[in-house]
Amino acid sequence: MRQRHVLLDVDSPHVGRLLALSDKVDHHIRGVLRMRDGSTVSVTNGSGGYGSGVLAPDGVELASWSQAPHPRTVTLLPGLSKANKLDLVVEKATELGVARIVPMDCVRSERTWGPDALKRRMTRWETITQSALEQSGGFWLPKIEDPVTLGEALERWQGIILDPSGEVSLSDTLTHAESATIAVGPEGGFDTSELAAAASSGWQIAHMGPRILRTETAAIVATALAAASVGLLAQRDQTPVDL
């Protein structure tokens, strides 16, 4: 049976250090999973550090610690869509190991994203990434950045923009990639002016085959293909060593 994986603040890892649990995590471990003191848990700090610990009355006592090498990176830029769709994309992208998620304000983005709503959703996405990292057993918590316009994204990165009009497939574009930056349009896709701007900025326009996918499906499938291409899905979890 797989150990429970928890994300904790580990500022000074050494054997015997007692790590505090939040009320939410403590309730889940003890109240939902029925784990008892003395049970072993897997621990990460979300920055590549990982180890094992033993559940104690006041937290988790650290038993081992290691630092994973930094993985190759996948950056996902999903167009601002309906909130529940983006929630799903953020969750699944975290499970697949992306390094960065940057929402984009596009021509066809949902117009309901006011500053207050966006601030609340950003907080929710941070919570979603934490839970998804624990569920998937990952070591690297993705960074959720403030939304950018498509123009800002084109200036900041070089990457792949998804559209059925692309002359090459995403799979072929990702062959032998060492990192990947992928932009996925909102519901309705990218406007023709946006695609023209991307092409003139050196971005590659790629399609995903004959099927027209919903924005959340396209983002998840593209992330999975990119993660596999750069090797994020190839390496098994490492075993922590005693300190």
Side-chain angles (χ1 to χ4, degrees):
M1 182 177 178
R2 197 190 75 171
Q3 292 179 354
R4 171 65 183 176
H5 190 61
V6 293
L7 174 66
L8 298 176
D9 182 13
V10 187
D11 56 355
S12 178
H14 59 265
V15 169
R17 181 175 178 82
L18 189 64
L19 308 175
L21 295 174
S22 68
D23 292 341
K24 180 181 179 181
V25 173
D26 188 77
H27 170 73
H28 186 74
I29 287 178
R30 300 180 192 275
V32 178
L33 300 180
R34 304 293 182 184
M35 295 179 68
R36 297 291 179 259
D37 291 346
S39 300
T40 302
V41 296
S42 173
V43 178
T44 184
N45 63 358
S47 299
Y50 66 100
S52 62
V54 178
L55 190 62
D58 297 322
V60 171
E61 186 176 310
L62 195 62
S64 62
W65 192 255
S66 292
Q67 181 67 31
H70 204 289
R72 294 176 177 179
T73 59
V74 174
T75 296
L76 177 65
L77 296 92
L80 284 170
S81 302
K82 293 179 181 177
N84 63 330
K85 294 179 182 291
L86 280 173
D87 288 354
L88 179 64
V89 169
V90 168
E91 179 184 68
K92 300 310 174 188
T94 302
E95 292 178 18
L96 290 164
V98 300
R100 185 184 297 108
I101 303 171
V102 190
M104 285 191 308
D105 188 8
C106 304
V107 170
R108 294 173 179 160
S109 288
E110 285 285 318
R111 297 295 98 187
T112 57
W113 289 96
D116 292 340
L118 188 55
K119 183 177 180 180
R120 290 193 299 270
R121 191 55 53 171
M122 293 282 286
T123 300
R124 174 167 171 75
W125 289 335
E126 290 177 359
T127 301
I128 288 173
T129 60
Q130 292 167 9
S131 296
L133 187 77
E134 291 180 334
Q135 187 279 326
S136 62
F139 304 145
W140 298 90
L141 192 67
K143 183 177 182 181
I144 306 288
E145 295 193 9
D146 291 335
V148 298
T149 65
L150 177 62
E152 290 170 335
L154 297 180
E155 291 181 359
R156 184 173 171 185
W157 292 285
Q158 280 291 309
I160 304 165
I161 190 165
L162 297 183
D163 190 80
S165 67
E167 296 183 356
V168 295
S169 72
L170 177 62
S171 297
D172 289 343
T173 305
L174 288 170
T175 301
H176 305 307
E178 294 189 358
S179 62
T181 298
I182 300 177
V184 183
E187 289 136 323
F190 291 108
D191 180 82
T192 53
S193 64
E194 293 176 316
L195 293 173
S200 65
S201 297
W203 281 57
Q204 193 156 17
I205 302 174
H207 66 78
M208 297 185 68
R211 298 181 183 276
I212 305 300
L213 305 179
R214 294 184 183 275
T215 178
E216 67 274 24
T217 308
I220 294 169
V221 172
T223 301
L225 290 172
S229 178
V230 305
L232 295 180
L233 305 183
Q235 188 172 4
R236 293 182 180 272
D237 288 347
Q238 303 179 49
T239 302
V241 297
D242 292 337
L243 297 175

